[in-house]
Amino acid sequence: MPHFTVVPVKDQAQARYDSLEGINWVDYRDTGQDQDTSSSDGHGNHKEDSPFLGGVDTAGKRSDFYDRNLALFEEELDIRPKVSSLLSRLVNYTNITQGAKEHEEEESAHSSRRKTPKSPNMGTLMGVYLPCLQNIFGVILFLRLTWIVGVAGVMQSLLIVLMCCSCTMLTAISMSAIATNGVVPAGGSYFMISRSLGPEFGGAVGLCFYLGTTFASAMYILGAIEIFLKYLLPQAAIFHATDPRGADGAMLNNMRVYGSICLSLMAVVVFVGVKYVNKLASLFLACVIISIVSIYAGAIKSMTHPPEFPICMLGNRTLVRDRFDVCSKTVLMGNMTVPSQLWHRFCVPGNMSSPQCDDYFLQNNLTEIQGIPGLGSGIIRENMWGDYLQKGDILEKPGLLSVDAHTAIENFGMYVSADIATSFTVLVGIFFPSATGIMAGSNRSGDLRDAQKSIPVGTILAITTTSLVYISSVVLFGSCIEGVVLRDKFGDAVRKNLVVGTLSWPSPWVIVIGSFFSTVGAGLQSLTGAPRLLQAIAKDNIIPFLRVFGHGKTNGEPTWALLLTGLIAELGILIASLDMVAPILSMFFLMCYLFVNLACAVQTLLRTPNWRPRFKYYHWALSFLGMSMCLALMFISSWYYAIVAMGIAGMIYKYIEYQGAEKEWGDGIRGLSLSAARYALLRLEVGPPHTKNWRPQLLVLLKLDEDLHVKYPRLLTFASQLKAGKGLTIVGCVIQGNFLDSYGEMQAAEQAIKNMMEIERVKGFCQVVVASKVREGVVHLIQSCGLGGMKHNTVVMGWPYGWRQSEDPRAWKTFINTVRCTTAAHLALMVPKNVSFYPSNHERFADGNIDVWWIVHDGGMLMLLPFLLKQHKVWRKCKMRIFTVAQMDDNSIQMKKDLAMFLYQLRIEAEVEVVEMHDSDISAYTYERTLMMEQRSQMLRQMRLSSAERQREAQLVKDRHSLVRMGSLYSDEEEEVLEAPPEKVHMTWTRERCEAEKTNKRNAPENFRELMSLKPDQSNVRRMHTAVKLNEVIVNRSHDARLVLLNMPGPPRNTEGDENYMEFLEVLTEGLERVLLVRGGGREVITIYS
């Protein structure tokens, strides 16, 4: 598959390299001057500029202009390039690098001289699957999952895992739909949400995602320090407890000191060079995978040879194993029985016969049980249900005999106790961070060979894999490990070993070292990603006070953003408790996932034209379910954290909204409605819509007959099928006459049009104007229809049938004038030819093709219109075929590959075919047809001249009842309304007039001979050649198509050739049943981006 690239690289030879996807406009005026140019405004919106690819040299342009096979389009090839030119320039595009501000932003001339970047070549495995695994697996799996299983029990632990993984799976489905709806540059979820729901939601959720990632780095650092101080090097502790109850406080202070040191070192590493972090990513991932494999290996081995980790129980209470040597009250030394270390811990030194000991110690026996009974022991029955504890509760095994007695406070440190109060909701908040990390694939989209395939497959496979690992781990932990050991968070009962390490094979050190490096790696990845996300938000300039964080080192590294990230992460370090930090980042991630689901649901329900995800297995109901689950998990985990997180997001939203939004307060219900409408219209006035939100907003020009009935109702049918009730539709009509005299007629015409709109199911507005000339009325409609930002961007009008048979040129002149007006107003134009043959809303095409003949590129309208039509039930089963024309010097095979890749990136399914049009001699038929056309024009011109002379001499009898009312469209011209000739014409003859009449009679045969010897103009011959050749090819390929869409050539700049232009259009569309002639409005209307 050919490489398709997406960022324009600036050409030195041409300062204004035009963006393919931006919001740009084209100056269609007939001057040859350069158009005004401008650059991006920082929001991805470009001001006035040409939207088409430039950068061709003068010679190339000249050869394009005078291409014999495209002579009809030669006057506009500078702004509407050949398809082959467009596709060849797509090869010069490159993917977005991480941290890029916007996909439309041009590179500087200096950057264009740099080495060409490598093309993206990462596949699903390396680009999405493994990064997602690395981000999802983390500290919670190794440090807290065994504890969660012990406290909640196997059943409730499975429920927690299922809830969290279902939430992320539903989010991944929504994310896959958004990510495959075009190219997603760096910024991941922030980019997706901001471009789907707007800057307010994008900024709010982007900051939430940033804070979540920042607190995640704090959580990973705390996990690494916990492993270091608890299991790797306990002697490194700085603070020590003076009494057993102060141990937790001392540990938290140690975590704060070492955590701050570790954070500082990591920030220095990230500042010095991100490339080192990326190079170590594979090592950290290998540590995670080896650790997980060792757990499974240990669980399998425990079936036959369970590891030896005895647990000492006093009664049914669990003792801290590293405080004594043997689990016995007395020991045998030689022939003497002496008190053990355990005895001295519970008793006052003295005589054993009358000891002063702890009551509970005296009345209960010591027993030793196996900490890891093994997979075949059946211990899962005891671990099936939960045992939630309050802070300070001693861990007890229900099955052991125990005499309840008083325990001295000074002996409390000998027992393993709970350090925090637990409940189902607390455990959900602590576990959820282990399900996050699903955005890793979408953040790397610029490095993927085929992002639209890799992101959904890799992300969903990664979530499936991790979910299976979590579920199987819950079952294995519950089946292999004793319940009191599972509830022992720090492994006090198994000699300060990491609990999950006791199960691993070949040694607990595999898990300890592997989990340490994996948490350090995850912390580095978070510290690397969070500043870049903040930089992307700052560069979008939607939150002014963050603007400073958009700057960085000369190579683009976000220095200031890294500093802020370090300070916020330090707040998490100062909290010092992994169990307290985890729910905080759970809130922020859940908020982010909630809005990803909301974005997908809104896009699906709105059915915007740009919403064409290549990933098809989504539904708005799934997105709403995912959104509901995110909201529920937020309040289940911690309702007060949820309120705080939503409050932060809400404040950011309102801040962004009020930066540029005018406050408006209504009075009363009606005033409030008016205020809301006015506010919405003012918001629309801010600027033109982004390319991905562009949809045809129609102005349909209708023609009425003498009885004020709609002459061609199928124009309305076509509009309803194209719009499907979405967007704006205005139906316009011109009544010729005086407004004072024709007001009643105007109201009647408006009612007739509204009735027809209701019959044809057109949802929109009706606008009827009265004008002295139809041409002026049409221009008024084009200029003034709509209100504020709710204006039309596309004009639909009918073809002037019978223009050849009519001696009156007003019909086709009004038509051509309307074409010129729409072009000058930067509006798109659609002309359905043979509209009477178009299907009604009750018909269904069971098969057939919609054929698109893409000859020149003028904004992508030809691709968008069939997609919109196929949303309607009439056209739904039709297949789309795209034909483009290759010239002699074009590589048609490469053109076909590039066009197929272009459509793939557009998420449009169509059959692609490149038609080769070889240069051929102009045929006799073409020459003859051009000659006939020019002879006819000359003859009509002479007839009009002689008629004008006769009328000047004639004395016309005025009869107001003989006036013919021409109130329909395309039947008006500059001249005043013709009056009926009198029955008798009285001529006044003079001597000069008599001589002139004799001369005219003598010259008549000479005029005829001149007409017969007329030689056609060469430019007309070339244009006729283009029309004949294209028509021959189109009829050959598309004679049985349900609809043919075709680029409509522009009218000639010289108005003397207007009549010939009509003939060219007739020749171009001969022999086709349904034709839709399309002209773009000078801007891109379709995009490959999300």
Side-chain angles (χ1 to χ4, degrees):
M1 184 171 287
H3 166 51
F4 181 77
T5 49
V6 291
V7 169
V9 179
K10 199 166 189 176
D11 191 346
Q12 274 183 275
Q14 185 174 359
R16 55 171 189 87
Y17 195 93
D18 303 321
S19 166
L20 178 66
E21 305 298 341
I23 298 179
N24 310 313
W25 295 89
V26 163
D27 187 358
Y28 281 120
R29 289 170 294 183
D30 293 342
T31 62
Q33 300 171 355
D34 292 338
Q35 298 158 0
D36 293 336
T37 61
S38 67
S39 58
S40 169
D41 63 2
H43 300 278
N45 297 331
H46 291 239
K47 295 184 278 287
E48 189 166 65
D49 201 352
S50 168
F52 309 115
L53 294 166
V56 281
D57 56 24
T58 309
K61 282 189 178 182
R62 194 175 294 117
S63 65
D64 280 352
F65 286 179
Y66 298 104
D67 192 320
R68 184 184 294 168
N69 288 327
L70 291 181
L72 261 181
F73 302 91
E74 67 186 14
E75 288 187 349
E76 296 183 313
L77 280 178
D78 54 339
I79 53 175
R80 301 177 192 269
K82 291 193 300 183
V83 175
S84 57
S85 304
L86 172 77
L87 293 175
S88 66
R89 284 167 184 68
L90 293 177
V91 178
N92 295 327
Y93 278 40
T94 176
N95 283 88
I96 299 298
T97 55
Q98 189 172 17
K101 174 166 65 177
E102 188 70 34
H103 59 267
E104 296 100 346
E105 187 166 358
E106 300 174 353
E107 295 183 358
S108 64
H110 174 69
S111 66
S112 68
R113 292 193 292 268
R114 294 176 187 166
K115 185 175 67 175
T116 304
K118 290 194 300 182
S119 55
N121 55 4
M122 297 186 77
T124 304
L125 180 68
M126 296 302 296
V128 181
Y129 181 71
L130 292 180
C132 282
L133 282 188
Q134 183 181 3
N135 280 266
I136 296 172
F137 285 134
V139 63
I140 301 297
L141 171 63
F142 301 117
L143 294 186
R144 293 292 182 269
L145 189 56
T146 52
W147 174 71
I148 289 172
V149 174
V151 174
V154 172
M155 295 302 293
Q156 291 188 35
S157 298
L158 287 174
L159 180 61
I160 291 172
V161 170
L162 192 64
M163 285 171 60
C164 296
C165 291
S166 298
C167 178
T168 53
M169 179 62 83
L170 291 171
T171 304
I173 291 171
S174 298
M175 185 197 73
S176 297
I178 298 173
T180 58
N181 188 49
V183 179
V184 178
S189 60
Y190 163 69
F191 182 90
M192 289 189 290
I193 295 169
S194 62
R195 271 54 176 180
S196 297
L197 294 180
E200 295 90 354
F201 279 111
V205 179
L207 278 184
C208 283
F209 191 47
Y210 163 73
L211 292 173
T213 308
T214 304
F215 275 102
S217 65
M219 184 189 74
Y220 289 128
I221 291 171
L222 289 174
I225 299 304
E226 182 178 309
I227 295 170
F228 177 74
L229 290 177
K230 286 282 187 181
Y231 311 112
L232 279 176
L233 201 63
Q235 301 83 6
I238 299 172
F239 301 95
H240 300 278
T242 53
D243 61 89
R245 286 192 174 274
D248 289 344
M251 182 63 185
L252 292 179
N253 288 329
N254 287 319
M255 299 275 281
R256 292 184 179 105
V257 173
Y258 279 103
S260 301
I261 295 171
C262 184
L263 175 63
S264 303
L265 291 174
M266 286 185 176
V268 169
V269 171
V270 173
F271 178 78
V272 169
V274 179
K275 59 183 180 180
Y276 303 113
V277 178
N278 294 332
K279 286 180 179 177
L280 291 173
S282 301
L283 172 65
F284 298 141
L285 177 61
C287 291
V288 174
I289 294 174
I290 291 171
S291 301
I292 292 172
V293 169
S294 71
I295 294 172
Y296 284 103
I300 294 170
K301 184 177 177 291
S302 71
M303 293 180 67
T304 54
H305 299 86
E308 290 292 329
F309 283 99
I311 309 299
C312 188
M313 308 292 296
L314 178 60
N316 64 352
R317 297 180 180 179
T318 311
L319 296 176
V320 178
R321 194 66 178 83
D322 66 330
R323 291 177 177 265
F324 53 91
D325 49 1
V326 294
C327 184
S328 173
K329 292 182 180 181
T330 58
V331 293
L332 190 64
M333 294 186 63
N335 294 326
M336 293 180 61
T337 302
V338 295
S340 65
Q341 288 185 7
L342 199 56
W343 178 281
H344 290 298
R345 292 282 185 180
F346 282 97
C347 299
V348 177
N351 190 358
M352 285 185 63
S353 56
S354 57
Q356 294 181 358
C357 294
D358 184 272
D359 289 344
Y360 190 86
F361 179 75
L362 287 177
Q363 297 182 35
N364 288 279
N365 295 322
L366 287 166
T367 54
E368 208 168 44
I369 62 173
Q370 184 59 269
I372 313 292
L375 197 57
S377 63
I379 194 69
I380 190 171
R381 288 190 291 272
E382 296 181 17
N383 295 331
M384 193 63 72
W385 306 108
D387 184 11
Y388 294 105
L389 304 171
Q390 296 300 313
K391 184 176 181 178
D393 286 356
I394 297 171
L395 302 188
E396 297 178 346
K397 181 174 173 59
L400 292 180
L401 294 175
S402 173
V403 177
D404 193 14
H406 175 71
T407 299
I409 190 69
E410 58 270 12
N411 295 323
F412 184 79
M414 291 297 297
Y415 300 109
V416 181
S417 59
D419 65 328
I420 60 169
T422 53
S423 64
F424 181 81
T425 58
V426 169
L427 298 184
V428 170
I430 292 173
F431 177 78
F432 186 78
S434 63
T436 61
I438 63 174
M439 299 289 183
S442 63
N443 290 342
R444 291 168 177 253
S445 61
D447 301 324
L448 299 174
R449 189 184 309 117
D450 187 356
Q452 297 190 0
K453 175 185 174 185
S454 297
I455 289 176
V457 173
T459 305
I460 292 174
L461 274 180
I463 294 175
T464 305
T465 304
T466 52
S467 301
L468 291 175
V469 169
Y470 286 141
I471 290 170
S472 58
S473 297
V474 166
V475 175
L476 286 178
F477 294 157
S479 304
C480 298
I481 305 176
E482 175 62 51
V484 288
V485 180
L486 288 173
R487 289 189 286 278
D488 182 5
K489 184 185 293 185
F490 302 112
D492 292 328
V494 286
R495 297 185 182 277
K496 299 288 185 181
N497 277 301
L498 184 61
V499 173
V500 70
T502 60
L503 182 61
S504 65
W505 179 87
S507 166
W509 287 103
V510 175
I511 292 286
V512 173
I513 296 172
S515 60
F516 177 76
F517 280 112
S518 71
T519 48
V520 169
L524 278 172
Q525 292 281 356
S526 298
L527 272 181
T528 303
R532 278 156 182 74
L533 180 58
L534 181 62
Q535 187 182 43
I537 299 170
K539 282 190 172 184
D540 264 355
N541 204 21
I542 58 173
I543 304 176
F545 68 81
L546 291 181
R547 198 172 298 154
V548 66
F549 299 108
H551 306 295
K553 293 195 289 186
T554 53
N555 61 353
E557 291 298 317
T559 309
W560 293 105
L562 177 62
L563 180 63
L564 180 64
T565 302
L567 292 175
I568 296 174
E570 179 62 22
L571 295 177
I573 298 293
L574 294 177
I575 295 174
S577 171
L578 184 69
D579 304 319
M580 295 292 288
V581 174
I584 295 176
L585 68 101
S586 292
M587 290 304 114
F588 291 123
F589 277 122
L590 281 167
M591 181 79 72
C592 175
Y593 295 166
L594 184 149
F595 282 102
V596 169
N597 284 297
L598 177 63
C600 180
V602 167
Q603 294 273 48
T604 306
L605 291 174
L606 287 180
R607 298 178 68 84
T608 54
N610 188 59
W611 183 244
R612 304 181 301 275
R614 193 159 291 281
F615 180 76
K616 301 298 182 186
Y617 306 102
Y618 70 95
H619 194 270
W620 64 266
L622 290 178
S623 299
F624 269 117
L625 180 61
M627 188 175 68
S628 305
M629 286 193 70
C630 289
L631 193 62
L633 284 173
M634 286 176 68
F635 283 92
I636 286 173
S637 303
S638 174
W639 63 268
Y640 44 90
Y641 278 166
I643 291 173
V644 170
M646 294 172 76
I648 292 172
M651 285 189 291
I652 297 169
Y653 176 93
K654 298 308 287 184
Y655 174 77
I656 297 171
E657 183 184 37
Y658 282 114
Q659 275 301 106
E662 180 186 347
K663 285 183 266 190
E664 173 65 34
W665 305 101
D667 50 343
I669 300 299
R670 186 172 179 81
L672 188 63
S673 302
L674 182 62
S675 170
R678 175 178 175 270
Y679 176 74
L681 284 171
L682 288 174
R683 288 292 297 273
L684 285 174
E685 272 287 280
V686 173
H690 193 276
T691 303
K692 67 182 183 183
N693 292 329
W694 195 95
R695 67 161 70 243
Q697 316 290 7
L698 301 183
L699 169 61
V700 184
L701 298 178
L702 281 186
K703 183 175 182 178
L704 301 182
D705 59 18
E706 291 79 2
D707 299 324
L708 298 180
H709 295 145
V710 177
K711 197 165 185 180
Y712 300 112
R714 286 295 162 86
L715 273 176
L716 292 176
T717 311
F718 172 72
S720 70
Q721 293 168 3
L722 185 66
K723 299 294 289 179
K726 300 289 192 304
L728 175 70
T729 303
I730 302 173
V731 179
C733 181
V734 179
I735 298 290
Q736 186 179 347
N738 183 284
F739 178 75
L740 296 176
D741 299 332
S742 306
Y743 181 72
E745 190 176 350
M746 183 190 78
Q747 286 188 314
E750 188 171 334
Q751 190 58 48
I753 292 174
K754 284 182 178 178
N755 292 340
M756 186 56 67
M757 288 172 66
E758 191 172 344
I759 293 170
E760 297 296 339
R761 299 177 184 173
V762 176
K763 297 178 181 177
F765 307 96
C766 176
Q767 180 91 44
V768 178
V769 298
V770 178
S772 58
K773 299 176 184 177
V774 174
R775 171 188 287 189
E776 292 177 359
V778 171
V779 174
H780 292 158
L781 284 173
I782 290 173
Q783 289 184 82
S784 60
C785 276
L787 177 63
M790 246 187 124
K791 293 182 74 71
H792 57 278
N793 55 30
T794 306
V795 175
V796 180
M797 65 174 175
W799 179 259
Y801 302 103
W803 69 272
R804 278 174 170 163
Q805 290 74 32
S806 173
E807 292 184 5
D808 185 2
R810 288 177 295 185
W812 55 265
K813 285 198 172 184
T814 302
F815 174 82
I816 295 177
N817 184 67
T818 306
V819 176
R820 287 198 172 102
C821 289
T822 56
T823 303
H826 302 298
L827 301 176
L829 176 66
M830 289 187 281
V831 181
K833 200 161 179 281
N834 303 329
V835 73
S836 301
F837 296 112
Y838 276 54
S840 69
N841 284 325
H842 305 292
E843 294 180 50
R844 302 280 190 284
F845 286 138
D847 54 9
N849 299 309
I850 298 177
D851 285 358
V852 175
W853 283 86
W854 190 25
I855 299 166
V856 293
H857 177 71
D858 62 349
M861 280 278 287
L862 286 172
M863 261 71 72
L864 183 64
L865 293 176
F867 172 79
L868 295 176
L869 280 175
K870 278 168 62 66
Q871 308 303 306
H872 196 273
K873 57 190 176 183
V874 172
W875 305 91
R876 187 165 294 149
K877 293 186 179 179
C878 291
K879 293 180 180 178
M880 185 173 165
R881 297 191 301 184
I882 294 187
F883 297 89
T884 192
V885 175
Q887 305 301 319
M888 282 289 290
D889 54 348
D890 293 330
N891 184 342
S892 57
I893 297 174
Q894 187 62 38
M895 272 184 70
K896 185 170 183 178
K897 289 180 180 177
D898 291 342
L899 181 54
M901 176 55 73
F902 183 50
L903 291 176
Y904 178 80
Q905 296 287 351
L906 288 173
R907 292 93 62 204
I908 288 178
E909 294 179 4
E911 183 183 329
V912 174
E913 193 165 339
V914 176
V915 179
E916 295 183 351
M917 285 186 66
H918 302 295
D919 286 341
S920 61
D921 294 333
I922 295 173
S923 65
Y925 171 75
T926 302
Y927 194 87
E928 190 70 26
R929 185 129 191 191
T930 311
L931 184 60
M932 289 172 60
M933 174 185 75
E934 294 196 358
Q935 286 175 345
R936 178 181 181 276
S937 299
Q938 185 73 12
M939 192 183 305
L940 287 173
R941 198 174 294 117
Q942 291 177 2
M943 289 172 63
R944 282 197 292 270
L945 285 172
S946 59
S947 174
E949 287 180 7
R950 286 196 305 271
Q951 288 175 17
R952 278 196 298 271
E953 295 295 332
Q955 296 179 359
L956 302 179
V957 178
K958 295 182 180 180
D959 183 1
R960 26 180 103 161
H961 298 293
S962 67
L963 291 176
V964 180
R965 187 59 175 268
M966 308 292 286
S968 58
L969 198 54
Y970 316 135
S971 59
D972 180 48
E973 179 50 37
E974 322 52 52
E975 300 92 10
E976 298 298 324
V977 178
L978 294 177
E979 298 176 354
E983 292 180 3
K984 291 183 179 180
V985 179
H986 176 69
M987 303 293 292
T988 303
W989 289 91
T990 63
R991 183 183 180 89
E992 292 79 6
R993 177 62 194 160
C994 185
E995 291 296 326
E997 190 67 22
K998 290 178 181 178
T999 304
N1000 283 340
K1001 288 180 179 179
R1002 286 197 301 268
N1003 289 342
E1006 294 177 9
N1007 290 339
F1008 181 75
R1009 281 195 296 271
E1010 182 184 339
L1011 200 62
M1012 289 298 100
S1013 62
L1014 186 70
K1015 288 187 178 181
D1017 182 77
Q1018 284 303 309
S1019 64
N1020 284 340
V1021 173
R1022 286 189 295 109
R1023 286 177 168 85
M1024 183 63 78
H1025 177 72
T1026 298
V1028 170
K1029 290 283 289 182
L1030 278 176
N1031 177 258
E1032 180 183 322
V1033 172
I1034 294 171
V1035 171
N1036 184 38
R1037 301 298 181 95
S1038 302
H1039 61 276
D1040 58 346
R1042 299 296 189 185
L1043 179 65
V1044 175
L1045 284 86
L1046 181 65
N1047 285 116
M1048 182 179 181
R1053 291 175 182 174
N1054 183 4
T1055 55
E1056 291 181 3
D1058 282 359
E1059 191 170 7
N1060 297 337
Y1061 171 70
M1062 295 299 297
E1063 187 69 33
F1064 294 143
L1065 292 183
E1066 286 282 11
V1067 172
L1068 189 62
T1069 56
E1070 267 181 357
L1072 297 172
E1073 185 180 15
R1074 301 184 192 93
V1075 186
L1076 182 63
L1077 295 170
V1078 180
R1079 273 180 70 76
R1083 57 158 298 165
E1084 293 295 319
V1085 302
I1086 197 165
T1087 175
I1088 63 173
Y1089 293 98
S1090 170

